[in-house]
Amino acid sequence: MKLLFDFLPIFLFFATFKFAEGSKEWAAEFATRFFGFLVSGGVVGAAEAPVMLATVVVIAATLAQVVILKAMRRRVDTMLWVSLVLVAGLGGMTIWFHNETFIKWKPSVLYWTMGTALWASPLLFGKNLLKVLLGEQLQLPARVWHRLNFAWVAFFAGMGLLNLWVAYSFSTDAWVNFKLFGGLGLMLVFTIAQGLYLGRYLEEPAPEAPPPETR
């Protein structure tokens, strides 16, 4: 359930873009009528309407996530705050300047922010963030935590570069497909690979001692 909640903005971005892409003229009229005040010049063209509406939806969905968690008095993860700032800032620039480039940079900046946090934490604070987050669930040797941390830093760095390569080498439609299926798919494959690697290091729970015999 939490996984669905976390990725809901991405699903809504994809669904909105695909729906608007199939009715560009209607999408342009709708965006101009209801969101024209957010756009420089006040008019949204048919070619840009799908990504504009999808950006509006992803900003609203990310903000709604924070509001819901606050209303439930639950902790808002740091990365959700970072994601909200990025999607509001870069998404807002995409809407105002009629330029989809800004929102296309958002995943890369988020990946690199997460990678930088994992890389810098041991150097600046002497703490492995993955161990801080998962140490209660996983008992691993120090060298394995170090390798795991490095692997995630490399993964996030590579994903940021891959996102930009897709964004600049292919159509916006292809990038939207990659954002959902490619990004989440690669994350799933990498997580499974990590699990297989860590399996050899997981400590088996000690067997419980049998109850003493009663006479």
Side-chain angles (χ1 to χ4, degrees), residues 14-186:
F14 176 85
T16 303
F17 179 87
K18 291 298 183 179
F19 178 80
E21 183 77 1
S23 307
K24 289 185 177 181
E25 295 299 332
W26 173 87
E29 181 182 350
F30 181 87
T32 299
R33 178 180 301 177
F34 293 100
F35 303 108
F37 66 96
L38 298 174
V39 180
S40 176
V43 178
V44 178
E48 63 204 32
V51 75
M52 293 284 190
L53 287 176
T55 300
V56 170
V57 168
V58 78
I59 292 173
T62 307
L63 179 60
Q65 284 181 314
V66 173
V67 172
I68 290 172
L69 289 174
K70 283 292 187 180
M72 297 173 64
R73 297 184 178 180
R74 296 177 59 181
R75 179 178 175 272
V76 179
D77 293 337
T78 301
M79 293 316 302
L80 179 54
W81 283 118
V82 173
S83 182
L84 176 60
V85 170
L86 290 176
V87 77
L90 295 174
M93 293 170 71
T94 282
I95 295 169
W96 178 256
F97 292 111
H98 304 248
N99 191 336
E100 62 194 29
T101 299
F102 296 106
I103 196 63
K104 287 182 176 180
W105 270 82
K106 184 262 178 181
S108 292
V109 176
L110 184 60
Y111 285 133
W112 291 337
T113 299
M114 292 188 290
T116 300
L118 293 175
W119 171 76
S121 184
L123 297 177
L124 299 179
F125 308 106
K127 293 184 178 181
N128 185 313
L129 283 183
L130 288 179
K131 186 175 182 179
V132 172
L133 295 172
L134 303 175
E136 294 185 0
Q137 289 79 33
L138 299 175
Q139 300 297 321
L140 300 171
R143 71 181 188 281
V144 177
W145 280 116
H146 177 74
R147 293 171 187 169
L148 186 64
N149 191 72
F150 177 80
W152 278 101
V153 170
F155 175 76
F156 286 136
M159 285 297 294
L161 293 174
L162 181 59
N163 173 72
L164 291 183
W165 178 72
V166 173
Y168 284 101
S169 301
F170 300 93
S171 66
T172 299
D173 184 64
W175 173 77
V176 170
N177 290 334
F178 170 78
K179 179 178 170 65
L180 178 62
F181 300 109
L184 296 185
L186 289 173

